[in-house]
Amino acid sequence: LPEHLERQKVVLEPEVLAPCTQCGKPPVCIGEETSEELEYVPAKLVVRQTIRPKYACRCGCNGVTIAPLPPRLLPQSKLGVGLAVHLLLSRFDDHVAYYTLERIFQERHGVSIPRQQMVQWVAHIAFLLQPLYRLMFEEMKKGGYLQVDETPVKILDPEVKGKCARGYLWFYGVPGGDVYLDFQDTRGRKAPHAQLSNFVGTIQTDAYEVYDSLKKIIAELVRIGCAAHSRRKFHRALKDGDRRAIWFIGQFRQLYRIERETKTLTPENRHQIRQQKAWPIWESIKQRAKELQDGLLPQSSLGKAVSYFLNEYDALIGYLQSGHLEIDNNLVENSIRGPAVGRRRWLFIGHPDAGWRSAVIYSFIISCRRRGINPQEYLSDVLRRLPAMNITQIGELLPARWKPSPADAR
């Protein structure tokens, strides 16, 4: 069992230690046998009291001396950092609904914490994290390369009677770096335009027409495509029984083999090998697709796959321009898994105003996961330090720059 785990020792003594039948002396310990089992100690709620002794001279001349009260996570609140982090991770990482957390606190800990109180706490924490959240996105945009995708979520909107409204979480990711989520009530162009209006560089997306339309209003924007989306359509054609798709799938397999082989190389060497090996494969796929296109029914699976490929061809080969670019959008799509699992558990966002809170908290949890940072350690440290910081200091708390405080390191 892992050495870092706390060992709780239970010593079992024999019930009877009879004297020796030969010499009459009592037995002595000559060794011991140790066995281990993995045990679970349930979490518990505690009340942490901060006691500040007051000192004064008996003559009363110099007043009273007392240590200053450390900044609270939420002023005038009884919420401690440990409980705050537990709420965030339970709701947004373990995907536990608020009403379930309310029941757990009542049944297992004997403490009544209404779900409305938890919602208010999370709202205040998200507001506290918001400057850091915005700074993270500004740092991401400086790199000039973002992968973008979106996913729908249900919302309980009081203005929509009898059914759930629909909102969208927009994902902006830097491969191997941070992920920024933005909640919007639309899938239209105004959602990404609001975030990318001052962006200069390349976005990598699927073929959703909104992304191409952005280029008309953002002069410095370049869009490249996602090979995985195109490959999936040929897989669909094969599943539907058209064996002509096998050849295309084989070509994509060669392209991805090149990516695996060049993964650890410098961007310059990666670019050079792509030009030598990948470019001819793309040209052969394009030629074969054109040969088949006229003989395919537009609504057939292979017809759709070929049309998608040819329409997206210039975007699909866009990654060949630089060794810094990826062949597909899979990295940002993988970031959608957490919220996608969550929406099957908590079903909907309780109010349109709550969407941005989810976006803020998910952004930090997903970014930590990408960087191999334990979200519990990160959020515990950040929420402990953030209330005492000014806006010019918060940059050191970004996931890309964060280092545990000395107290946490011990």
Side-chain angles (χ1 to χ4, degrees), residues 107-367:
E107 293 181 357
R108 302 180 189 175
H109 304 283
V111 179
S112 176
I113 305 179
R115 70 193 76 171
Q116 294 83 359
Q117 178 67 76
M118 289 186 267
V119 170
Q120 291 176 13
W121 281 343
V122 169
H124 286 299
I125 295 170
F127 184 78
L128 183 65
L129 289 170
Q130 201 170 33
L132 189 63
Y133 160 80
R134 290 173 176 165
L135 178 61
M136 182 172 71
F137 192 48
E138 292 303 315
E139 294 291 320
M140 290 168 61
K141 289 192 287 187
K142 291 179 182 179
Y145 174 37
L146 294 173
Q147 296 183 325
V148 187
D149 206 351
E150 80 290 333
T151 189
V153 289
K154 293 179 180 179
I155 313 168
L156 284 184
D157 191 339
E159 297 183 3
V160 179
K161 303 298 182 183
K163 63 178 182 180
C164 287
R166 172 169 285 194
Y168 294 88
L169 285 173
W170 291 77
F171 290 71
Y172 303 83
V174 175
D178 296 324
V179 179
Y180 174 89
L181 277 70
D182 176 45
F183 174 79
Q184 295 287 341
D185 61 0
T186 177
R187 199 183 176 215
R189 186 174 68 182
K190 76 172 186 178
H193 181 245
Q195 301 298 330
L196 300 174
S197 57
N198 62 345
F199 176 68
V200 177
T202 300
I203 61 171
Q204 187 167 31
T205 72
D206 56 28
Y208 180 37
E209 61 270 13
V210 159
Y211 298 120
D212 266 330
S213 70
L214 282 174
K215 296 189 296 184
K216 300 176 183 178
I217 55 176
I218 305 178
E220 302 297 328
L221 188 69
V222 176
R223 186 185 81 84
I224 63 175
C226 173
H229 278 79
S230 182
R231 180 178 61 175
R232 288 173 203 155
K233 295 186 179 298
F234 286 106
H235 273 285
R236 170 56 59 188
L238 180 59
K239 288 182 179 180
D240 290 343
D242 198 323
R243 297 185 62 80
R244 289 174 291 182
I246 294 176
W247 182 86
F248 291 95
I249 294 171
Q251 299 304 301
F252 277 106
R253 184 176 292 117
Q254 292 185 42
L255 290 170
Y256 275 89
R257 184 178 295 118
I258 294 170
E259 295 305 301
R260 289 195 299 271
E261 293 172 351
T262 60
K263 186 176 182 179
T264 58
L265 301 181
T266 63
E268 293 75 17
N269 291 338
R270 192 182 190 190
H271 174 67
Q272 183 178 6
I273 293 175
R274 282 174 171 175
Q275 293 296 315
Q276 294 172 353
K277 296 184 177 181
W279 183 262
I281 298 174
W282 283 107
E283 286 294 307
S284 65
I285 300 175
K286 179 181 180 181
Q287 182 179 351
R288 177 63 174 162
K290 285 184 173 180
E291 292 173 356
L292 288 178
Q293 188 175 33
D294 291 339
L296 295 172
L297 293 174
Q299 295 304 311
S300 67
S301 296
L302 188 59
K304 291 179 180 179
V306 167
S307 295
Y308 182 95
F309 176 84
L310 293 175
N311 292 336
E312 274 284 284
Y313 181 74
D314 290 340
L316 290 172
I317 62 174
Y319 81 103
L320 296 176
Q321 300 168 10
S322 170
H324 292 281
L325 305 178
E326 299 292 328
I327 190 174
D328 58 34
N329 220 25
N330 282 351
L331 289 174
V332 75
E333 285 190 355
N334 291 343
S335 300
I336 296 178
R337 291 179 180 176
V341 171
R343 70 188 176 202
R344 291 197 293 269
R345 302 276 184 87
W346 37 256
L347 301 180
F348 48 77
I349 291 175
H351 192 276
D353 293 341
W356 71 269
R357 307 170 198 162
S358 301
V360 170
I361 297 166
Y362 273 129
S363 295
F364 288 107
I365 291 176
I366 296 173
S367 296

